[in-house]
Amino acid sequence: MASAVRPNGNATQNGHVPNVVAPLDASRLKIERATTLKPIPAPGSYSFGDIHTDHMLVCKYHPSTGWSAPEIKPYGPLAIDPSSNCLQYASNVFEGMKAVLNPEGKPCMFRPRDNMKRLLTSAKRMALPAFDPEALLTCISTLVTLESRWIPSLPDHRNSSLYIRPTMVGTKASIKVGASDEALLYAIVTPVGPYFPVQKIGGVSLLAVSEHVRSWPGGTGGFKLGLNYSPGFVPQQAAAALGYDQVLWLLDEDKKITEAGAMNFFAVAERDDGGITIVTPPTDGTILPGITRDATLVLLREHAKNPSANLLNVPFPPNVQIEERPLTVNELAAWAAKGQLLECFGTGTAVLVVAIDRIGDFDVSDDFEDTGSAVSEIKEKKRKMREITLKGGLVGLGPVGKALWDKLLALKEGREQYMGWNVLCE
Amino acid sequence: MASAVRPNGNATQNGHVPNVVAPLDASRLKIERATTLKPIPAPGSYSFGDIHTDHMLVCKYHPSTGWSAPEIKPYGPLAIDPSSNCLQYASNVFEGMKAVLNPEGKPCMFRPRDNMKRLLTSAKRMALPAFDPEALLTCISTLVTLESRWIPSLPDHRNSSLYIRPTMVGTKASIKVGASDEALLYAIVTPVGPYFPVQKIGGVSLLAVSEHVRSWPGGTGGFKLGLNYSPGFVPQQAAAALGYDQVLWLLDEDKKITEAGAMNFFAVAERDDGGITIVTPPTDGTILPGITRDATLVLLREHAKNPSANLLNVPFPPNVQIEERPLTVNELAAWAAKGQLLECFGTGTAVLVVAIDRIGDFDVSDDFEDTGSAVSEIKEKKRKMREITLKGGLVGLGPVGKALWDKLLALKEGREQYMGWNVLCE
């Protein structure tokens, strides 16, 4: 674990590199406890992401010395130079994870090593220094354990958790356009309830957007970078102004679906032969390779392969097809027109699984000019909009989405175990 | 100027909006001087963007109160909450401007109102609060005047200046994905010499890159956002590993040129009829609408329209064509093959005008897989690369580029005036 790293942070094969610097080393973790602890708000009394707990994890990288000793210390502002790479050029990467108390009352996480691996991949894409992912996980586990009084527990398994936000930002204090060889790696935690307001759990609505494009081939949509998110704020405001909860991101003239808000997208359709097809867009670099997305696919495929084991407690027809392939909004519309669109849902760490019950789409070619504020232009088009709805006007999760929700929540909460996905904090 | 603004920062038509908040007001500017001043390093002894001067300008926006009184205070770190929108989702915008001493020894800037206008447009795209651009310019002018001892002055007009970096970042302390209604607006300054090392002024080399794409229709490449820059760090490292100074960004299978590094791109070609064509890609949302680019086009067009006035001190043939239109790297290669590629140059605030004397291009279709580190993949392709060079192996600025350099530098330095572009700091 504590192998030597070079100034660029990559592990070396031997110790003979002259400028060896310190690796991220969990055994050097220092803990400074807050002198007074904050009161815990009642679950359900706050919005997603607003609460700051008592402590945070911080570690710094400098090319001449490597990683500093990680520190858990009282939550508070970071001192960032105004010329820092992160503020100037957005070399910021992050992860989203959740901790809950398992039935024995112990904090546990869902597939945390996948988050560590993805954070490392994101850091590499931003030319930020590498780190030992296992060391970071150990430090995060210690932070979660220290903050475990903040883990909320709603009755009836409504997806309350302690959300964990590992973050890494380039801190080189120079406005020269180029990679930052200094970095700050930190993690904060925040108690969260359901991502969407309770009344919305029935299902969220999406506005299909073509005039703003979240990601493209050769872009950065396949990495978890801060910069993939702020370009969506204005389209999100436009969607909200039209009465939709989130944006359905499209790509190209054929309106390929990439993501739904900050979630991966799944559709369940009835085929003419009576079987069902479950489709999600492929991880071709234009969508985030979601960990909940991956877990969903693994569970669906295992269930389809061995129906008698009844992994998901839902009957699948014998000829179910599970497909990772490009999916267009026009396909959804065609299925809906024939009454064959059974379910749509989004997956993600924040939401787990959430029903999508309607999609607004401009069934016209887009001659939209980007003025930075899309509301007025979109409003003009509203009368030309079609709505895609589910078979029978279904609202809320259908049988596939509900089975996935139940299974993933049980795995997340440690009530069940599968492939070692539930990991205890130490 | 001090008109009422609403919480979203947009100016109102009247004062009857109930929740009126404070506008950005230069008359409230407070100045706290540094108690000890730093020594000024010798011009030429430092790299672009590394020096921090004595003071910075800072102003905060909160939706309930509006803009705080702007402050000029000692340069130092900013206190940023770890959950801040800017660190998490990269809602960061900036500008690049330069101040020099005019022949009377007074600090002056080049077209600063265009920078203020563009910053406002960028802020709107990031859903950040609006501000009075004239008030910000007044505050920045005051900062430059206070820091005027830092304005370097190289002999022989080698483009030394005090670079000004206005920056605005979203500071809402919540990891909820959405617009930040709190912001920090600040400006720092730094003395700079030529952007590229002196030995490079002869000309920079570009590696044409298709496998990473800087911008896209529906993307954010037409705005000056921090997030447009960090995705270029890895491609830039790959270009440097292959011996090129900067990346030439391409778009689509036909390899349309968008930008060169962080500069706008111009080519000058000889036509079969003996005339010359000067081409630059259009501001279609995929390139930055550069202010130096615009000044270049204005000067070229005015010179072509009225050759006898000899605005640029360079003879143009009577049938010169100045074109804003899509330009592909294959067109450049075709011109070069016929000995008709006369000049290529980049424009930008940092470089003013810089010669491009060779372009490396993979003359193969790209089946590149993005692994986050492009060096090894690119190296494999190196043997398949063609080099595009200028007619006669020209190195350094040709007659058009040199005439623009001379004129723009004279305007920037206040030795000449045109259309009120040179503006004194007050």
Side-chain angles (χ1 to χ4, degrees):
Chain A
M1 281 310 107
S3 62
V5 293
R6 286 177 299 183
N8 64 3
N10 296 325
T12 59
Q13 294 298 318
N14 57 57
H16 301 300
V17 179
N19 44 2
V20 167
V21 298
L24 182 63
D25 184 352
S27 73
R28 296 169 67 205
L29 179 63
K30 296 181 286 192
I31 300 177
E32 179 201 342
R33 284 171 190 268
T35 47
T36 56
L37 299 182
K38 299 171 186 171
I40 309 269
S45 68
Y46 42 81
S47 298
F48 185 95
D50 287 345
I51 303 290
H52 305 145
T53 69
D54 299 302
H55 299 94
M56 62 183 182
L57 170 71
V58 179
C59 193
K60 289 178 186 174
Y61 183 87
H62 189 279
S64 63
T65 50
W67 286 105
S68 67
E71 286 180 87
I72 290 174
K73 59 185 192 179
Y75 186 99
L78 304 168
I80 311 257
D81 191 276
S83 70
S84 283
N85 199 280
C86 58
L87 295 180
Q88 296 297 330
Y89 304 122
S91 54
N92 309 347
V93 304
F94 71 92
E95 274 300 321
M97 309 161 69
K98 281 181 170 175
V100 296
L101 296 179
N102 73 6
E104 288 77 48
K106 297 202 166 120
C108 60
M109 299 180 284
F110 184 69
R111 301 183 64 173
R113 288 183 173 84
D114 294 273
N115 293 98
M116 297 298 98
K117 188 178 163 191
R118 192 170 62 182
L119 186 65
L120 198 56
T121 305
S122 301
K124 188 177 175 189
R125 181 65 188 84
M126 290 282 94
L128 289 172
F131 57 87
D132 177 346
E134 203 62 28
L136 179 58
L137 182 57
T138 301
C139 294
I140 288 173
S141 295
T142 306
L143 176 67
V144 169
T145 303
L146 185 69
E147 298 295 78
S148 59
R149 73 187 190 99
W150 287 93
I151 301 177
S153 189
L154 287 180
D156 67 14
H157 300 298
R158 279 201 284 119
N159 198 20
S160 59
S161 331
L162 190 67
Y163 186 92
I164 307 163
R165 176 56 63 93
T167 306
M168 189 171 176
V169 304
T171 49
K172 186 169 186 173
S174 169
I175 58 166
K176 171 108 184 168
V177 177
S180 178
D181 58 3
E182 296 177 45
L184 186 66
L185 175 61
Y186 64 91
I188 55 176
V189 296
T190 180
V192 295
Y195 190 81
F196 294 104
V198 173
Q199 67 272 25
K200 283 288 181 190
I201 292 183
V204 298
S205 56
L206 303 179
L207 178 68
V209 166
S210 297
E211 58 275 16
H212 292 285
V213 177
R214 178 187 174 275
S215 183
W216 52 82
T220 58
F223 300 89
K224 199 151 182 79
L225 312 179
L227 61 85
N228 288 329
Y229 294 85
S230 50
F233 295 166
V234 163
Q236 168 64 29
Q237 289 177 335
L242 289 169
Y244 292 89
D245 295 307
Q246 294 279 305
V247 166
L248 181 66
W249 295 106
L250 305 182
L251 177 64
D252 288 345
E253 287 178 12
D254 58 359
K255 296 189 175 184
K256 283 195 284 285
I257 291 167
T258 56
E259 290 192 22
M263 306 180 288
N264 291 120
F265 183 88
F266 285 80
V268 183
E270 195 171 47
R271 295 194 308 273
D272 291 338
D273 67 6
I276 69 164
T277 294
I278 306 174
V279 194
T280 195
T283 52
D284 60 0
T286 66
I287 70 164
L288 185 76
I291 294 165
T292 310
R293 173 191 180 278
D294 182 76
T296 297
L297 284 171
V298 168
L299 293 172
L300 288 172
R301 286 176 173 145
E302 184 61 29
H303 182 64
K305 199 166 72 180
N306 187 9
S308 61
N310 206 18
L311 179 67
L312 287 176
N313 301 307
V314 61
F316 273 2
N319 52 356
V320 64
Q321 289 172 9
I322 297 155
E323 301 174 357
E324 287 180 83
R325 64 162 175 87
L327 172 67
T328 69
V329 76
N330 292 328
E331 272 185 277
L332 292 187
W335 279 326
K338 291 197 287 179
Q340 292 180 333
L341 187 60
L342 303 179
E343 303 181 37
C344 292
F345 53 86
T347 65
T349 295
V351 298
L352 204 60
V353 180
V354 73
I356 294 158
D357 51 25
R358 65 190 178 99
I359 297 170
D361 176 48
F362 300 115
D363 189 19
V364 289
S365 64
D366 288 295
D367 53 344
F368 184 90
E369 186 174 343
D370 181 2
T371 62
S373 171
V375 176
S376 57
E377 289 84 349
I378 287 181
K379 278 190 169 164
E380 281 175 32
K381 288 183 178 173
K382 196 173 181 183
R383 60 190 172 81
K384 294 184 186 169
M385 202 156 67
R386 66 179 170 192
E387 281 239 334
I388 298 166
T389 52
L390 300 173
K391 181 180 181 180
L394 177 70
V395 174
L397 288 168
V400 175
K402 181 63 167 57
L404 286 162
W405 163 273
D406 288 342
K407 191 70 181 181
L408 287 164
L409 196 61
L411 294 170
K412 194 189 96 170
E413 295 183 342
R415 290 179 279 117
E416 295 181 31
Q417 182 63 284
Y418 183 74
M419 291 178 72
W421 285 349
N422 190 282
V423 175
L424 280 180
C425 293
E426 320 253 13
Chain B
M1 282 309 105
S3 62
V5 294
R6 287 177 298 183
N8 64 4
N10 295 324
T12 59
Q13 294 299 318
N14 58 57
H16 302 301
V17 179
N19 43 2
V20 167
V21 298
L24 182 63
D25 183 353
S27 72
R28 295 170 68 205
L29 178 64
K30 295 182 285 191
I31 300 178
E32 179 201 344
R33 285 171 188 267
T35 47
T36 56
L37 299 182
K38 299 172 187 171
I40 308 269
S45 68
Y46 42 81
S47 298
F48 185 96
D50 288 345
I51 304 289
H52 305 143
T53 68
D54 298 304
H55 299 94
M56 61 183 184
L57 169 72
V58 179
C59 194
K60 290 178 187 175
Y61 184 88
H62 189 281
S64 64
T65 50
W67 288 105
S68 67
E71 285 180 88
I72 290 174
K73 59 184 191 178
Y75 186 98
L78 305 167
I80 310 261
D81 192 276
S83 70
S84 283
N85 199 279
C86 58
L87 295 180
Q88 296 298 329
Y89 305 122
S91 53
N92 309 348
V93 304
F94 71 93
E95 273 302 320
M97 310 161 68
K98 280 181 170 175
V100 295
L101 296 179
N102 73 6
E104 290 76 47
K106 296 204 167 117
C108 60
M109 298 180 284
F110 184 69
R111 300 182 65 173
R113 288 183 172 83
D114 293 273
N115 293 98
M116 298 297 99
K117 187 177 164 191
R118 191 170 62 182
L119 186 66
L120 198 55
T121 305
S122 300
K124 188 177 175 191
R125 181 63 188 85
M126 290 283 93
L128 289 172
F131 56 87
D132 177 347
E134 203 62 28
L136 179 58
L137 182 57
T138 300
C139 294
I140 287 173
S141 296
T142 306
L143 176 66
V144 169
T145 303
L146 185 69
E147 298 295 78
S148 58
R149 73 187 191 99
W150 286 93
I151 301 177
S153 190
L154 286 181
D156 68 13
H157 300 300
R158 280 201 283 117
N159 198 19
S160 59
S161 333
L162 190 66
Y163 185 92
I164 308 164
R165 176 54 64 93
T167 306
M168 188 172 176
V169 304
T171 49
K172 186 168 185 174
S174 169
I175 58 166
K176 172 107 185 169
V177 178
S180 178
D181 57 5
E182 296 176 45
L184 187 66
L185 175 61
Y186 63 92
I188 55 177
V189 295
T190 181
V192 296
Y195 189 80
F196 293 105
V198 173
Q199 66 272 25
K200 282 289 182 191
I201 291 183
V204 298
S205 55
L206 304 179
L207 178 68
V209 166
S210 296
E211 57 275 15
H212 292 285
V213 178
R214 179 187 173 275
S215 184
W216 189 267
T220 57
F223 300 89
K224 200 152 182 75
L225 312 179
L227 61 86
N228 288 328
Y229 294 85
S230 50
F233 295 166
V234 163
Q236 168 65 29
Q237 289 176 336
L242 289 169
Y244 293 88
D245 295 308
Q246 293 278 306
V247 166
L248 181 66
W249 295 105
L250 306 182
L251 177 64
D252 287 346
E253 286 177 13
D254 57 359
K255 295 189 174 183
K256 284 195 284 284
I257 291 167
T258 55
E259 290 191 24
M263 305 180 291
N264 290 120
F265 182 88
F266 284 80
V268 183
E270 196 171 46
R271 294 194 309 272
D272 292 337
D273 67 5
I276 69 163
T277 294
I278 305 174
V279 194
T280 195
T283 51
D284 60 0
T286 67
I287 70 165
L288 185 76
I291 294 164
T292 310
R293 174 191 179 280
D294 182 76
T296 297
L297 285 170
V298 168
L299 292 172
L300 287 172
R301 285 178 173 144
E302 184 61 27
H303 182 64
K305 200 166 70 181
N306 187 9
S308 61
N310 206 19
L311 179 67
L312 287 176
N313 300 307
V314 61
F316 273 1
N319 52 355
V320 64
Q321 289 173 8
I322 296 156
E323 301 175 356
E324 288 180 83
R325 63 160 174 87
L327 171 68
T328 70
V329 76
N330 293 327
E331 271 186 278
L332 292 187
W335 279 326
K338 291 197 284 179
Q340 292 179 334
L341 187 59
L342 303 179
E343 303 181 38
C344 292
F345 53 86
T347 64
T349 295
V351 297
L352 204 59
V353 181
V354 72
I356 294 158
D357 52 24
R358 64 189 179 99
I359 297 169
D361 177 47
F362 300 115
D363 188 19
V364 290
S365 65
D366 289 294
D367 53 344
F368 184 91
E369 187 173 342
D370 181 2
T371 63
S373 170
V375 177
S376 58
E377 289 85 348
I378 287 182
K379 278 190 169 164
E380 281 174 30
K381 288 182 179 174
K382 196 173 181 184
R383 60 189 172 82
K384 294 184 186 168
M385 202 155 68
R386 65 179 171 194
E387 280 239 334
I388 298 167
T389 52
L390 300 174
K391 181 180 182 181
L394 176 70
V395 174
L397 288 168
V400 176
K402 181 64 168 55
L404 286 162
W405 163 273
D406 287 342
K407 191 70 180 181
L408 287 165
L409 196 61
L411 294 170
K412 196 189 96 169
E413 294 183 343
R415 289 180 280 119
E416 296 181 29
Q417 182 64 283
Y418 183 74
M419 291 179 73
W421 285 349
N422 189 282
V423 176
L424 281 179
C425 293
E426 322 253 13

